[in-house]
PDB file of all heavy atoms in Angstrom:
ATOM      1  N   TRP A 202     -14.828  45.568  52.502  1.00  0.00           N
ATOM      2  CA  TRP A 202     -16.065  46.222  52.998  1.00  0.00           C
ATOM      3  C   TRP A 202     -16.563  45.674  54.253  1.00  0.00           C
ATOM      4  O   TRP A 202     -16.972  46.406  55.143  1.00  0.00           O
ATOM      5  CB  TRP A 202     -17.113  46.001  51.879  1.00  0.00           C
ATOM      6  CG  TRP A 202     -18.492  46.601  52.202  1.00  0.00           C
ATOM      7  CD1 TRP A 202     -18.880  47.862  52.175  1.00  0.00           C
ATOM      8  CD2 TRP A 202     -19.623  45.822  52.608  1.00  0.00           C
ATOM      9  NE1 TRP A 202     -20.206  48.022  52.563  1.00  0.00           N
ATOM     10  CE2 TRP A 202     -20.653  46.762  52.842  1.00  0.00           C
ATOM     11  CE3 TRP A 202     -19.844  44.441  52.782  1.00  0.00           C
ATOM     12  CZ2 TRP A 202     -21.920  46.336  53.248  1.00  0.00           C
ATOM     13  CZ3 TRP A 202     -21.110  44.081  53.193  1.00  0.00           C
ATOM     14  CH2 TRP A 202     -22.151  45.022  53.408  1.00  0.00           C
ATOM     15  N   GLY A 203     -16.487  44.368  54.400  1.00  0.00           N
ATOM     16  CA  GLY A 203     -16.823  43.755  55.681  1.00  0.00           C
ATOM     17  C   GLY A 203     -15.959  44.189  56.843  1.00  0.00           C
ATOM     18  O   GLY A 203     -16.448  44.392  57.945  1.00  0.00           O
ATOM     19  N   TRP A 204     -14.688  44.237  56.569  1.00  0.00           N
ATOM     20  CA  TRP A 204     -13.763  44.710  57.637  1.00  0.00           C
ATOM     21  C   TRP A 204     -14.070  46.114  58.056  1.00  0.00           C
ATOM     22  O   TRP A 204     -14.034  46.400  59.320  1.00  0.00           O
ATOM     23  CB  TRP A 204     -12.361  44.584  57.089  1.00  0.00           C
ATOM     24  CG  TRP A 204     -11.309  45.055  58.118  1.00  0.00           C
ATOM     25  CD1 TRP A 204     -10.828  44.358  59.207  1.00  0.00           C
ATOM     26  CD2 TRP A 204     -10.682  46.298  58.153  1.00  0.00           C
ATOM     27  NE1 TRP A 204      -9.895  45.103  59.855  1.00  0.00           N
ATOM     28  CE2 TRP A 204      -9.861  46.310  59.224  1.00  0.00           C
ATOM     29  CE3 TRP A 204     -10.772  47.465  57.295  1.00  0.00           C
ATOM     30  CZ2 TRP A 204      -9.048  47.424  59.519  1.00  0.00           C
ATOM     31  CZ3 TRP A 204      -9.957  48.499  57.611  1.00  0.00           C
ATOM     32  CH2 TRP A 204      -9.091  48.523  58.711  1.00  0.00           C
ATOM     33  N   ARG A 205     -14.348  46.964  57.155  1.00  0.00           N
ATOM     34  CA  ARG A 205     -14.665  48.382  57.514  1.00  0.00           C
ATOM     35  C   ARG A 205     -15.948  48.409  58.299  1.00  0.00           C
ATOM     36  O   ARG A 205     -16.044  49.228  59.261  1.00  0.00           O
ATOM     37  CB  ARG A 205     -14.758  49.214  56.240  1.00  0.00           C
ATOM     38  CG  ARG A 205     -13.397  49.492  55.607  1.00  0.00           C
ATOM     39  CD  ARG A 205     -13.570  50.397  54.409  1.00  0.00           C
ATOM     40  NE  ARG A 205     -12.246  50.758  53.855  1.00  0.00           N
ATOM     41  CZ  ARG A 205     -12.088  51.452  52.763  1.00  0.00           C
ATOM     42  NH1 ARG A 205     -13.176  51.873  52.064  1.00  0.00           N
ATOM     43  NH2 ARG A 205     -10.893  51.775  52.409  1.00  0.00           N
ATOM     44  N   ARG A 206     -16.952  47.634  57.982  1.00  0.00           N
ATOM     45  CA  ARG A 206     -18.195  47.649  58.762  1.00  0.00           C
ATOM     46  C   ARG A 206     -17.979  47.173  60.203  1.00  0.00           C
ATOM     47  O   ARG A 206     -18.479  47.754  61.118  1.00  0.00           O
ATOM     48  CB  ARG A 206     -19.275  46.784  58.056  1.00  0.00           C
ATOM     49  CG  ARG A 206     -19.804  47.355  56.824  1.00  0.00           C
ATOM     50  CD  ARG A 206     -21.089  46.594  56.377  1.00  0.00           C
ATOM     51  NE  ARG A 206     -22.107  46.716  57.465  1.00  0.00           N
ATOM     52  CZ  ARG A 206     -23.265  46.114  57.397  1.00  0.00           C
ATOM     53  NH1 ARG A 206     -23.508  45.287  56.342  1.00  0.00           N
ATOM     54  NH2 ARG A 206     -24.149  46.202  58.319  1.00  0.00           N
ATOM     55  N   ARG A 207     -17.204  46.123  60.288  1.00  0.00           N
ATOM     56  CA  ARG A 207     -16.902  45.645  61.659  1.00  0.00           C
ATOM     57  C   ARG A 207     -16.102  46.693  62.476  1.00  0.00           C
ATOM     58  O   ARG A 207     -16.336  46.890  63.646  1.00  0.00           O
ATOM     59  CB  ARG A 207     -16.159  44.294  61.583  1.00  0.00           C
ATOM     60  CG  ARG A 207     -17.001  43.138  61.105  1.00  0.00           C
ATOM     61  CD  ARG A 207     -16.334  41.833  61.375  1.00  0.00           C
ATOM     62  NE  ARG A 207     -15.023  41.776  60.655  1.00  0.00           N
ATOM     63  CZ  ARG A 207     -14.918  41.347  59.456  1.00  0.00           C
ATOM     64  NH1 ARG A 207     -15.981  40.922  58.720  1.00  0.00           N
ATOM     65  NH2 ARG A 207     -13.753  41.278  58.854  1.00  0.00           N
ATOM     66  N   THR A 208     -15.182  47.364  61.790  1.00  0.00           N
ATOM     67  CA  THR A 208     -14.366  48.309  62.496  1.00  0.00           C
ATOM     68  C   THR A 208     -15.163  49.503  62.883  1.00  0.00           C
ATOM     69  O   THR A 208     -15.064  49.980  64.040  1.00  0.00           O
ATOM     70  CB  THR A 208     -13.194  48.809  61.554  1.00  0.00           C
ATOM     71  OG1 THR A 208     -12.454  47.621  61.188  1.00  0.00           O
ATOM     72  CG2 THR A 208     -12.306  49.777  62.313  1.00  0.00           C
ATOM     73  N   ALA A 209     -16.086  49.937  62.071  1.00  0.00           N
ATOM     74  CA  ALA A 209     -16.990  51.066  62.443  1.00  0.00           C
ATOM     75  C   ALA A 209     -17.873  50.714  63.602  1.00  0.00           C
ATOM     76  O   ALA A 209     -18.216  51.577  64.456  1.00  0.00           O
ATOM     77  CB  ALA A 209     -17.770  51.534  61.205  1.00  0.00           C
ATOM     78  N   GLY A 210     -18.369  49.497  63.714  1.00  0.00           N
ATOM     79  CA  GLY A 210     -19.241  49.129  64.787  1.00  0.00           C
ATOM     80  C   GLY A 210     -18.610  49.031  66.099  1.00  0.00           C
ATOM     81  O   GLY A 210     -19.280  49.194  67.188  1.00  0.00           O
ATOM     82  N   HIS A 211     -17.282  48.836  66.187  1.00  0.00           N
ATOM     83  CA  HIS A 211     -16.580  48.738  67.407  1.00  0.00           C
ATOM     84  C   HIS A 211     -15.731  50.001  67.731  1.00  0.00           C
ATOM     85  O   HIS A 211     -14.939  49.957  68.686  1.00  0.00           O
ATOM     86  CB  HIS A 211     -15.687  47.534  67.416  1.00  0.00           C
ATOM     87  CG  HIS A 211     -16.400  46.178  67.395  1.00  0.00           C
ATOM     88  ND1 HIS A 211     -16.892  45.634  66.216  1.00  0.00           N
ATOM     89  CD2 HIS A 211     -16.739  45.391  68.367  1.00  0.00           C
ATOM     90  CE1 HIS A 211     -17.513  44.507  66.477  1.00  0.00           C
ATOM     91  NE2 HIS A 211     -17.399  44.297  67.800  1.00  0.00           N
ATOM     92  N   ALA A 212     -15.998  51.049  67.035  1.00  0.00           N
ATOM     93  CA  ALA A 212     -15.230  52.273  67.268  1.00  0.00           C
ATOM     94  C   ALA A 212     -15.624  52.903  68.602  1.00  0.00           C
ATOM     95  O   ALA A 212     -16.813  52.941  68.905  1.00  0.00           O
ATOM     96  CB  ALA A 212     -15.475  53.272  66.145  1.00  0.00           C
ATOM     97  N   PRO A 213     -14.704  53.467  69.513  1.00  0.00           N
ATOM     98  CA  PRO A 213     -15.040  54.067  70.780  1.00  0.00           C
ATOM     99  C   PRO A 213     -15.833  55.310  70.593  1.00  0.00           C
ATOM    100  O   PRO A 213     -15.663  55.983  69.628  1.00  0.00           O
ATOM    101  CB  PRO A 213     -13.638  54.331  71.456  1.00  0.00           C
ATOM    102  CG  PRO A 213     -12.758  54.429  70.259  1.00  0.00           C
ATOM    103  CD  PRO A 213     -13.245  53.475  69.251  1.00  0.00           C
ATOM    104  N   PRO A 214     -16.773  55.661  71.515  1.00  0.00           N
ATOM    105  CA  PRO A 214     -17.573  56.879  71.386  1.00  0.00           C
ATOM    106  C   PRO A 214     -16.685  58.136  71.490  1.00  0.00           C
ATOM    107  O   PRO A 214     -15.729  58.153  72.214  1.00  0.00           O
ATOM    108  CB  PRO A 214     -18.591  56.751  72.564  1.00  0.00           C
ATOM    109  CG  PRO A 214     -17.937  55.869  73.517  1.00  0.00           C
ATOM    110  CD  PRO A 214     -17.101  54.916  72.767  1.00  0.00           C
TER     111      PRO A 214
END
Side-chain angles (χ1 to χ4, degrees):
W202 177 73
W204 177 79
R205 286 182 174 177
R206 286 194 61 184
R207 289 193 302 271
T208 303
H211 294 83

